[in-house]
Amino acid sequence: MGRKRPWILLAQLGLIASCVFMAFVKDPLNNLNHLMVAGFMVSCLASIFDVAIDGMAVDIIPIDQQARANGLMWGSIIIAMSAALAAGTWQINNYDFSTAMLTLALVVGSIMLVPILFRERQGEKILPWTAGTALPETKQLQLSNWRSIFKSLYSVFSLRNSLLLATLLFISQGAFNYMSTLLPIFTIKELGWTNTDYAHYYSTAKLIGGISGMLIGGILIDKFGKKKMINIYFFSLIIFTIVLAFSKAYWSDKSFIYAFMIAYNVLYTFASIGIFAIAMQCCWKKVSASQFTLYMTLANLGRMAFIALIGPIKANFSWQLTIFAFVIIMGLAWLLLQFLNIDKQVESVATLEKMDVENEGKLVNQGV
């Protein structure tokens, strides 16, 4: 059935069950333990789903199409998040939490039709009881023991550019989550917006960013190069944030803040498309899911680490300097990007593949 597709199907089945379970948690705010268990299940299964999807993308999408594919994937994610924020807020306000969660379960169920109806590779089984067989190329890529997985993962991840990329993901995604978390606090607590105002403006801005990413984000990277375009996106984010931080006189103008939200979300989406395309290109297909997941795990750790800075920074500095902290973090990410050599990483991965094939040939000759 494919290397990743069965995991996608299992994760989606679990997500449907978890959302239904969460929907029937009575009075969620007064039953936080039950809500926590359901939320933990959703998070774990969503992580498995993400890992399988990303690993499949690395395995089957040609390198010259990965940037455009990332544009479509990332744009779709942003659009879905925007739609979920708007629709979820509306359902909870007009109906209840259970209705919102049951709707989510229905949406996940409808999405599940895609992996059910389409094969990962031609000739594989659609379902366990249907005709099909594993292809030789997938058998060659499949590792059968934990020792081989960890050994291969260590070999590719210990490369200089792998470590640089991991650090870049940690810092850049941490910076993005810092700003994304700061914006609702800033607009609601400092500027006096309502949560409905924020949801409306920010979801619309994310939607614009997502659509832009789908239409031109990947195309621009394909045409002008990943590293060049990410440099432009990082630099633009720094400039726009400096303008926001030191234009306090315009903070009362919602259109000014809304314009920043749009610019930020477009550039954030474009930059993420480029960084994740680089991460895919730098993966060794033999351990693509594990390697890409490790990149994403470090990115998520960065997202958690940097939002922890918001409280201490705001407690000791003004809103202007709290916003400007994003500029400092992005500046560090931009500096790291200058040392990343994508071509060298690709060459190193090709060398690992060649050595791996040679070692397997020696084992076969020795009758092992």
Side-chain angles (χ1 to χ4, degrees), residues 244-278:
L244 174 68
F246 297 105
S247 300
K248 190 174 181 180
Y250 296 95
W251 287 359
S252 59
D253 185 354
K254 282 188 177 180
S255 60
F256 176 75
I257 303 298
Y258 184 41
F260 173 80
M261 287 181 175
I262 293 173
Y264 168 76
N265 276 285
V266 169
L267 292 167
Y268 158 58
T269 303
F270 284 17
S272 295
I273 289 168
I275 294 171
F276 294 150
I278 290 175

Short mmCIF file of all heavy atoms in Angstrom, two decimals, residues 244-278:
data_model
loop_
_atom_site.label_atom_id
_atom_site.label_comp_id
_atom_site.label_asym_id
_atom_site.label_seq_id
_atom_site.Cartn_x
_atom_site.Cartn_y
_atom_site.Cartn_z
N LEU A 244 6.77 49.01 11.72
CA LEU A 244 5.69 48.84 12.70
C LEU A 244 6.13 49.28 14.09
O LEU A 244 5.41 50.01 14.79
CB LEU A 244 5.24 47.37 12.73
CG LEU A 244 4.21 47.02 13.83
CD1 LEU A 244 2.87 47.68 13.55
CD2 LEU A 244 4.04 45.50 13.94
N ALA A 245 7.30 48.83 14.51
CA ALA A 245 7.77 49.10 15.87
C ALA A 245 7.94 50.59 16.14
O ALA A 245 7.62 51.06 17.25
CB ALA A 245 9.10 48.37 16.11
N PHE A 246 8.39 51.35 15.14
CA PHE A 246 8.69 52.75 15.37
C PHE A 246 7.70 53.70 14.68
O PHE A 246 8.04 54.84 14.35
CB PHE A 246 10.13 53.04 14.94
CG PHE A 246 11.13 52.27 15.76
CD1 PHE A 246 11.78 51.17 15.23
CD2 PHE A 246 11.40 52.63 17.07
CE1 PHE A 246 12.70 50.44 15.99
CE2 PHE A 246 12.30 51.92 17.84
CZ PHE A 246 12.96 50.82 17.30
N SER A 247 6.47 53.20 14.50
CA SER A 247 5.39 54.04 13.97
C SER A 247 4.21 54.03 14.93
O SER A 247 3.06 53.80 14.55
CB SER A 247 4.95 53.54 12.58
OG SER A 247 6.01 53.56 11.67
N LYS A 248 4.52 54.30 16.20
CA LYS A 248 3.51 54.23 17.25
C LYS A 248 2.33 55.16 16.99
O LYS A 248 1.19 54.87 17.36
CB LYS A 248 4.14 54.55 18.61
CG LYS A 248 3.23 54.28 19.79
CD LYS A 248 3.96 54.48 21.11
CE LYS A 248 3.04 54.17 22.29
NZ LYS A 248 3.75 54.34 23.59
N ALA A 249 2.58 56.27 16.33
CA ALA A 249 1.52 57.24 16.05
C ALA A 249 0.43 56.65 15.16
O ALA A 249 -0.71 57.14 15.17
CB ALA A 249 2.12 58.48 15.37
N TYR A 250 0.74 55.59 14.42
CA TYR A 250 -0.23 54.98 13.50
C TYR A 250 -0.88 53.72 14.05
O TYR A 250 -1.70 53.10 13.37
CB TYR A 250 0.45 54.65 12.16
CG TYR A 250 0.94 55.87 11.42
CD1 TYR A 250 2.28 56.29 11.56
CD2 TYR A 250 0.11 56.61 10.60
CE1 TYR A 250 2.75 57.41 10.89
CE2 TYR A 250 0.57 57.72 9.92
CZ TYR A 250 1.89 58.12 10.07
OH TYR A 250 2.35 59.22 9.39
N TRP A 251 -0.52 53.32 15.27
CA TRP A 251 -1.06 52.08 15.83
C TRP A 251 -2.58 52.13 16.00
O TRP A 251 -3.24 51.09 15.98
CB TRP A 251 -0.41 51.78 17.18
CG TRP A 251 1.02 51.31 17.06
CD1 TRP A 251 1.74 51.13 15.92
CD2 TRP A 251 1.88 50.98 18.14
NE1 TRP A 251 3.00 50.70 16.20
CE2 TRP A 251 3.14 50.60 17.56
CE3 TRP A 251 1.76 50.98 19.53
CZ2 TRP A 251 4.23 50.21 18.34
CZ3 TRP A 251 2.85 50.59 20.30
CH2 TRP A 251 4.06 50.21 19.72
N SER A 252 -3.13 53.30 16.20
CA SER A 252 -4.58 53.41 16.38
C SER A 252 -5.36 53.22 15.08
O SER A 252 -6.58 53.04 15.09
CB SER A 252 -4.93 54.78 16.98
OG SER A 252 -4.47 55.82 16.13
N ASP A 253 -4.65 53.24 13.96
CA ASP A 253 -5.28 53.06 12.65
C ASP A 253 -5.31 51.57 12.31
O ASP A 253 -4.28 50.96 12.05
CB ASP A 253 -4.48 53.83 11.60
CG ASP A 253 -5.12 53.80 10.22
OD1 ASP A 253 -6.14 53.09 10.05
OD2 ASP A 253 -4.61 54.48 9.31
N LYS A 254 -6.52 51.00 12.31
CA LYS A 254 -6.64 49.56 12.06
C LYS A 254 -6.13 49.16 10.68
O LYS A 254 -5.59 48.07 10.50
CB LYS A 254 -8.10 49.11 12.21
CG LYS A 254 -8.55 48.95 13.65
CD LYS A 254 -9.92 48.33 13.74
CE LYS A 254 -10.32 48.12 15.21
NZ LYS A 254 -11.67 47.50 15.34
N SER A 255 -6.29 50.05 9.71
CA SER A 255 -5.82 49.72 8.35
C SER A 255 -4.30 49.59 8.30
O SER A 255 -3.77 48.79 7.53
CB SER A 255 -6.30 50.79 7.35
OG SER A 255 -5.79 52.07 7.70
N PHE A 256 -3.60 50.36 9.14
CA PHE A 256 -2.14 50.28 9.20
C PHE A 256 -1.70 48.92 9.75
O PHE A 256 -0.82 48.26 9.19
CB PHE A 256 -1.59 51.40 10.07
CG PHE A 256 -0.10 51.36 10.29
CD1 PHE A 256 0.77 51.75 9.28
CD2 PHE A 256 0.43 50.92 11.50
CE1 PHE A 256 2.15 51.71 9.48
CE2 PHE A 256 1.81 50.87 11.70
CZ PHE A 256 2.66 51.27 10.69
N ILE A 257 -2.34 48.51 10.85
CA ILE A 257 -2.03 47.21 11.46
C ILE A 257 -2.42 46.08 10.51
O ILE A 257 -1.69 45.09 10.35
CB ILE A 257 -2.75 47.05 12.81
CG1 ILE A 257 -2.38 48.19 13.76
CG2 ILE A 257 -2.40 45.70 13.44
CD1 ILE A 257 -0.92 48.27 14.12
N TYR A 258 -3.57 46.25 9.84
CA TYR A 258 -4.05 45.23 8.91
C TYR A 258 -3.08 45.08 7.73
O TYR A 258 -2.79 43.96 7.28
CB TYR A 258 -5.45 45.61 8.42
CG TYR A 258 -6.10 44.60 7.52
CD1 TYR A 258 -6.01 43.24 7.78
CD2 TYR A 258 -6.84 45.01 6.41
CE1 TYR A 258 -6.63 42.31 6.96
CE2 TYR A 258 -7.47 44.09 5.59
CZ TYR A 258 -7.36 42.75 5.86
OH TYR A 258 -7.97 41.83 5.04
N ALA A 259 -2.53 46.20 7.26
CA ALA A 259 -1.56 46.16 6.16
C ALA A 259 -0.31 45.39 6.59
O ALA A 259 0.25 44.60 5.80
CB ALA A 259 -1.19 47.57 5.73
N PHE A 260 0.12 45.61 7.84
CA PHE A 260 1.27 44.86 8.34
C PHE A 260 0.95 43.37 8.41
O PHE A 260 1.79 42.53 8.03
CB PHE A 260 1.69 45.35 9.72
CG PHE A 260 2.77 44.49 10.35
CD1 PHE A 260 4.10 44.64 9.97
CD2 PHE A 260 2.45 43.51 11.28
CE1 PHE A 260 5.10 43.84 10.52
CE2 PHE A 260 3.44 42.70 11.82
CZ PHE A 260 4.76 42.86 11.45
N MET A 261 -0.25 43.03 8.90
CA MET A 261 -0.65 41.63 8.98
C MET A 261 -0.59 40.95 7.62
O MET A 261 -0.12 39.81 7.49
CB MET A 261 -2.07 41.51 9.56
CG MET A 261 -2.18 41.77 11.03
SD MET A 261 -3.91 41.56 11.58
CE MET A 261 -3.72 41.77 13.34
N ILE A 262 -1.07 41.64 6.59
CA ILE A 262 -1.05 41.07 5.24
C ILE A 262 0.38 40.88 4.76
O ILE A 262 0.75 39.80 4.28
CB ILE A 262 -1.84 41.97 4.26
CG1 ILE A 262 -3.33 41.96 4.61
CG2 ILE A 262 -1.63 41.51 2.82
CD1 ILE A 262 -4.15 42.95 3.81
N ALA A 263 1.20 41.94 4.90
CA ALA A 263 2.60 41.86 4.46
C ALA A 263 3.34 40.75 5.21
O ALA A 263 4.08 39.95 4.61
CB ALA A 263 3.29 43.19 4.67
N TYR A 264 3.12 40.69 6.53
CA TYR A 264 3.78 39.67 7.35
C TYR A 264 3.39 38.27 6.91
O TYR A 264 4.25 37.39 6.74
CB TYR A 264 3.43 39.89 8.83
CG TYR A 264 3.84 38.72 9.70
CD1 TYR A 264 5.17 38.53 10.07
CD2 TYR A 264 2.89 37.79 10.14
CE1 TYR A 264 5.54 37.45 10.85
CE2 TYR A 264 3.25 36.72 10.92
CZ TYR A 264 4.57 36.55 11.27
OH TYR A 264 4.94 35.46 12.04
N ASN A 265 2.09 38.02 6.71
CA ASN A 265 1.63 36.68 6.36
C ASN A 265 2.07 36.25 4.97
O ASN A 265 2.38 35.07 4.75
CB ASN A 265 0.11 36.60 6.50
CG ASN A 265 -0.32 36.32 7.92
OD1 ASN A 265 -0.20 35.21 8.42
ND2 ASN A 265 -0.81 37.35 8.60
N VAL A 266 2.11 37.19 4.02
CA VAL A 266 2.59 36.85 2.68
C VAL A 266 4.06 36.47 2.74
O VAL A 266 4.49 35.43 2.21
CB VAL A 266 2.37 38.03 1.70
CG1 VAL A 266 3.10 37.78 0.39
CG2 VAL A 266 0.88 38.23 1.42
N LEU A 267 4.88 37.29 3.41
CA LEU A 267 6.32 37.04 3.48
C LEU A 267 6.63 35.81 4.32
O LEU A 267 7.54 35.02 3.99
CB LEU A 267 7.03 38.27 4.05
CG LEU A 267 7.02 39.50 3.14
CD1 LEU A 267 7.46 40.74 3.92
CD2 LEU A 267 7.93 39.29 1.94
N TYR A 268 5.89 35.62 5.41
CA TYR A 268 6.06 34.43 6.26
C TYR A 268 5.76 33.17 5.46
O TYR A 268 6.51 32.18 5.53
CB TYR A 268 5.14 34.56 7.47
CG TYR A 268 4.79 33.26 8.16
CD1 TYR A 268 5.78 32.43 8.67
CD2 TYR A 268 3.46 32.88 8.33
CE1 TYR A 268 5.45 31.25 9.32
CE2 TYR A 268 3.13 31.69 8.98
CZ TYR A 268 4.12 30.89 9.46
OH TYR A 268 3.80 29.71 10.09
N THR A 269 4.68 33.19 4.68
CA THR A 269 4.32 32.04 3.87
C THR A 269 5.38 31.75 2.82
O THR A 269 5.83 30.61 2.65
CB THR A 269 2.96 32.26 3.17
OG1 THR A 269 1.97 32.54 4.16
CG2 THR A 269 2.54 31.04 2.38
N PHE A 270 5.81 32.79 2.11
CA PHE A 270 6.82 32.63 1.06
C PHE A 270 8.14 32.10 1.64
O PHE A 270 8.78 31.22 1.06
CB PHE A 270 7.07 33.95 0.34
CG PHE A 270 5.99 34.34 -0.63
CD1 PHE A 270 4.74 33.75 -0.59
CD2 PHE A 270 6.22 35.30 -1.59
CE1 PHE A 270 3.74 34.10 -1.49
CE2 PHE A 270 5.24 35.66 -2.49
CZ PHE A 270 3.99 35.07 -2.44
N ALA A 271 8.56 32.66 2.79
CA ALA A 271 9.81 32.23 3.42
C ALA A 271 9.72 30.78 3.87
O ALA A 271 10.67 30.00 3.69
CB ALA A 271 10.15 33.13 4.60
N SER A 272 8.58 30.39 4.44
CA SER A 272 8.39 29.01 4.91
C SER A 272 8.41 28.04 3.74
O SER A 272 8.99 26.94 3.83
CB SER A 272 7.08 28.88 5.68
OG SER A 272 7.12 29.65 6.87
N ILE A 273 7.79 28.42 2.63
CA ILE A 273 7.81 27.57 1.43
C ILE A 273 9.26 27.31 1.01
O ILE A 273 9.64 26.17 0.72
CB ILE A 273 7.04 28.25 0.27
CG1 ILE A 273 5.54 28.24 0.55
CG2 ILE A 273 7.33 27.56 -1.07
CD1 ILE A 273 4.73 29.12 -0.39
N GLY A 274 10.08 28.36 1.00
CA GLY A 274 11.47 28.22 0.60
C GLY A 274 12.27 27.36 1.56
O GLY A 274 13.04 26.48 1.15
N ILE A 275 12.12 27.60 2.86
CA ILE A 275 12.89 26.85 3.86
C ILE A 275 12.52 25.38 3.84
O ILE A 275 13.39 24.49 3.89
CB ILE A 275 12.67 27.45 5.26
CG1 ILE A 275 13.24 28.86 5.34
CG2 ILE A 275 13.33 26.58 6.33
CD1 ILE A 275 12.88 29.59 6.61
N PHE A 276 11.22 25.09 3.75
CA PHE A 276 10.80 23.68 3.73
C PHE A 276 11.19 22.99 2.44
O PHE A 276 11.45 21.78 2.43
CB PHE A 276 9.29 23.59 3.98
CG PHE A 276 8.88 24.04 5.36
CD1 PHE A 276 7.64 24.60 5.58
CD2 PHE A 276 9.74 23.91 6.42
CE1 PHE A 276 7.27 25.02 6.84
CE2 PHE A 276 9.38 24.32 7.69
CZ PHE A 276 8.14 24.88 7.91
N ALA A 277 11.24 23.74 1.34
CA ALA A 277 11.72 23.17 0.07
C ALA A 277 13.20 22.79 0.20
O ALA A 277 13.63 21.74 -0.29
CB ALA A 277 11.52 24.14 -1.08
N ILE A 278 13.98 23.65 0.87
CA ILE A 278 15.39 23.33 1.12
C ILE A 278 15.50 22.09 2.00
O ILE A 278 16.33 21.21 1.75
CB ILE A 278 16.10 24.53 1.78
CG1 ILE A 278 16.25 25.69 0.80
CG2 ILE A 278 17.49 24.11 2.29
CD1 ILE A 278 16.82 26.95 1.41
#
